[in-house]
Amino acid sequence: MLDTKAIAHTAPLIYLEEVDSTNNIAADLGRQGAVPFTVVMAERQTAGRGRHGRVWRTFPYQSLAMSIVIPAVDSTLPLVACLSLYQACHDLGIQNIALKWPNDLMFGSRKLAGVLTESYPLSNSTGRFYVLGCGINVNTPEDEDVPEVAGTLAMAVGRPLAREEVAKAFLVRLQKNCTTLEKHGFAPFLTEYQQACITLGKPVVWKEGGREVSGIARDLNADGSILLETPAGMHTCHSGEMIIEH
Ligand code: BTN
C-alpha cells in the first residue's frame, strides 16, 4: 500500500490497484477538466507504455507508476520533468545519478526512471493539455527478474526508500519548475540540465522515423534540442531516440 496522505500533494491524487495505463486514466480526467497537477498512481499496469512503443514494466509495491495532468506549458516539459526527478533525488541524498537526453534518469548505464509525455486536445476548447507519465524504479524487487539494464534508486543510494518520499519530493519540484517554465521558458534550467546530462560529449546514434544519424552530442540548445556534430556538419535533434555508443 501507498500512504497517499504522506505525499501531501496539493491537487487531487487518485491511487488505484490496477489499471491499463495511468496515462489513459489521467487523459480521461484531463478531458473532463481535471484540476492541474491531478495525479493518478497505480500498483499494476496491464498495458504500461514507454517511449517509442515499448512496454513499461511496473513492479507492484516497489516502483512508482504515476501520471500527472498538466496544462500545456512548453514543449520542453519532458526535459524539465526529468530534471525535476533528478533534483528530487538529490533532495533525498541520491547523488550519483545523471540524465540521458531527453528524459531518462540513469545510474551508470542502468535506467532508473523514464518519462512519457503525451499531449491531448481539451474537449471544450481549442487548447491542449499534457499527461506526464513517470515510471520510477524505487526499490529492487527480490522475487522478480529485473532487466539487466534497469536500476533502482535503492541501488543508487544503498538503502531502500519510502516510495511516498520519492513521490512527494518529485511532485514538489515538478510543480515549482512548471511555474518557472511557464514564466521563463527552458532558459533557467539549461545549465543544470547540461551539467547533469551524460549524453553531451559522447558518440551517439540518433534515430527518428526510420532515420539514423551518427555523431558526437556537442551541446544542448536553449529550446532543449541537442546539437550533433556529424561528418556532414552540425545536426539539430528535437526529439527521437539517442543511443550512447560505448
Ligand atoms: C520511457 O520509455 O522511458 C517512459 C516510461 C514511462 C512509464 C510510465 S509508468 C506511468 C505512466 N503510464 C504508462 O503507461 N507509462 C508511464
Side-chain angles (χ1 to χ4, degrees):
M1 276 295 283
L2 197 63
D3 177 4
T4 53
K5 282 208 177 74
I7 298 171
H9 187 46
T10 52
L13 190 159
I14 296 141
Y15 170 54
L16 301 163
E17 187 59 33
E18 184 173 298
V19 297
D20 51 1
S21 159
T22 52
N23 267 29
N24 292 349
I25 312 284
D28 286 344
L29 293 172
R31 283 189 208 98
Q32 291 160 28
V35 173
F37 295 97
T38 292
V39 172
V40 179
M41 289 186 170
E43 292 295 351
R44 290 182 179 79
Q45 298 190 104
T46 53
R49 54 182 180 271
R51 296 178 71 233
H52 310 295
R54 296 197 183 103
V55 169
W56 182 264
R57 202 166 150 207
T58 301
F59 296 100
Y61 310 106
Q62 306 299 337
S63 45
L64 285 167
M66 67 169 119
S67 300
I68 305 134
V69 180
I70 301 187
V73 272
D74 188 274
S75 62
T76 59
L77 174 66
L79 276 74
V80 170
C82 205
L83 181 64
S84 306
L85 188 53
Y86 171 88
Q87 293 169 331
C89 287
H90 275 233
D91 295 341
L92 298 172
I94 309 167
Q95 300 289 342
N96 45 356
I97 50 172
L99 298 178
K100 180 167 162 286
W101 186 89
N103 41 24
D104 289 342
L105 183 71
M106 306 296 292
F107 171 51
S109 59
R110 289 174 185 266
K111 179 161 165 166
L112 303 176
V115 173
L116 171 71
T117 313
E118 296 172 330
S119 156
Y120 295 91
L122 285 166
S123 42
N124 53 3
S125 82
T126 52
R128 300 186 73 82
F129 67 96
Y130 286 117
V131 169
L132 187 87
C134 191
I136 311 170
N137 301 329
V138 180
N139 293 313
T140 314
E142 280 172 22
D143 309 332
E144 291 189 70
D145 285 341
V146 180
E148 213 172 81
V149 289
T152 60
L153 299 185
M155 266 179 204
V157 75
R159 65 178 168 91
L161 290 154
R163 291 182 301 159
E164 291 83 355
E165 62 175 337
V166 175
K168 183 177 181 179
F170 171 55
L171 290 167
V172 165
R173 283 286 190 172
L174 180 69
Q175 270 185 280
K176 188 166 172 276
N177 287 342
C178 280
T179 306
T180 305
L181 182 63
E182 198 177 2
K183 281 193 193 142
H184 306 291
F186 188 63
F189 304 104
L190 185 63
T191 304
E192 190 175 1
Y193 193 104
Q194 283 169 329
Q195 285 168 353
C197 183
I198 43 165
T199 314
L200 295 177
K202 300 257 171 57
V204 296
V205 179
W206 172 73
K207 293 185 181 179
E208 192 178 42
R211 278 182 77 195
E212 263 193 42
V213 179
S214 295
I216 311 280
R218 283 295 176 210
D219 205 2
L220 181 74
N221 296 316
D223 64 355
S225 60
I226 283 253
L227 200 59
L228 207 64
E229 185 186 331
T230 80
M234 298 308 262
H235 187 93
T236 304
C237 312
H238 290 277
S239 55
E241 189 171 17
M242 193 72 82
I243 296 152
I244 299 177
E245 305 251 90
H246 293 283

